[in-house]
Amino acid sequence: MFDEEEEEPLAAVPPHDRPRERLRRLGPSVLTDEEILALVLGTGQPGRNVLATARSILRQTGGFSGLAAMDVTRLERLPGIGPAMAGRLTATLEIWRRAGTTSAWSPLVDDEATSRIVLPELAHRSTERFVVVVADRAVRPLEVVFVRDGGDIPVQVEPSEVLQAVLTRGGRSFAVAHNHPSGSLEPSVADMAVTRRLGAGAATIGLRFLGHILVAGSEWMRL
């Protein structure tokens, strides 16, 4: 539900104080979070201007970090965001994610290097996701592949689909990672079992398995 506070229409805000004009005049770094989101949204709701709509969304999601953790289905359920806007927001967040991570990738020489790649994909997610980091023979990352995205139940992953994802992308080594939305870093029996099976399967077909990272919140551990 929206807040019941009164909001003046955006047309009543002096032109030089509107988000688009402030962006042009001062640059993006000085804009507030609600102004940035308002520029993406473009329009508000009946009886509520776009700044008020953006403010309400940020309050409900806990800010940009919470917004970024939502999938498109959950986004479109928020007041002020329908299917089209949910798609636009998801694409905008994906641009930010790719720009911020792919240029910073370094070889997977240790678990810390792997964690730097997978944390942006898994940290603070409200649903479980399983990813594989495909790398070459020199353990240089080639691609992060989303193997499974879960809902309210843990994802079930077969080693064969992970190994196929690596082979079809020309990988010679790989690491995997998944998150626990509960916030617990305690691995499950299934987590340990799939890790063992991945190691055995990789060895059978000549791939190098670099390990399995478990993420909870912003923390991580190697299984």
Side-chain angles (χ1 to χ4, degrees), residues 11-86:
V13 178
H16 65 278
D17 283 337
R18 297 173 192 169
R20 185 175 293 112
E21 284 69 25
R22 277 171 46 78
L23 174 67
R24 289 174 177 158
R25 182 163 46 91
L26 303 172
S29 62
V30 304
L31 299 186
T32 65
D33 287 355
E34 65 188 54
E35 287 176 318
I36 292 290
L37 182 55
L39 285 170
V40 176
L41 295 176
T43 59
Q45 289 289 96
R48 183 167 290 271
N49 69 41
V50 68
L51 284 170
T53 301
R55 185 183 310 124
S56 179
I57 290 169
L58 291 172
R59 285 176 181 171
Q60 292 176 74
T61 60
F64 284 144
S65 60
L67 194 65
M70 287 184 156
D71 59 25
V72 67
T73 302
R74 295 185 64 208
L75 281 172
E76 66 185 21
R77 294 174 184 160
L78 292 172
I81 299 181
M85 180 53 63

Side-chain angles (χ1 to χ4, degrees), residues 137-214:
R137 194 179 299 277
V139 299
R140 293 173 299 205
L142 302 174
E143 187 177 349
V144 176
V145 181
F146 295 169
V147 178
R148 289 289 178 89
D149 270 320
D152 298 329
I153 59 175
V155 296
Q156 301 293 322
V157 175
E158 288 297 325
S160 59
E161 60 187 321
V162 174
L163 299 176
Q164 182 178 18
V166 177
L167 290 172
T168 57
R169 290 164 175 82
R172 300 304 302 165
S173 59
F174 69 99
V176 298
H178 81 285
N179 66 299
H180 280 180
S182 66
S184 170
L185 274 176
E186 183 70 27
S188 68
V189 172
D191 294 339
M192 301 305 295
V194 75
T195 304
R196 289 191 296 269
R197 293 173 65 196
L198 279 169
T204 299
I205 59 177
L207 294 178
R208 182 180 175 187
F209 180 40
L210 302 171
H212 188 169
I213 298 292
L214 171 61

Side-chain angles (χ1 to χ4, degrees), residues 95-112:
I95 290 171
W96 166 81
R97 183 191 67 80
R98 294 188 185 189
T101 58
T102 56
S103 62
W105 284 353
S106 58
L108 305 181
V109 294
D110 54 25
D111 296 330
E112 185 71 34

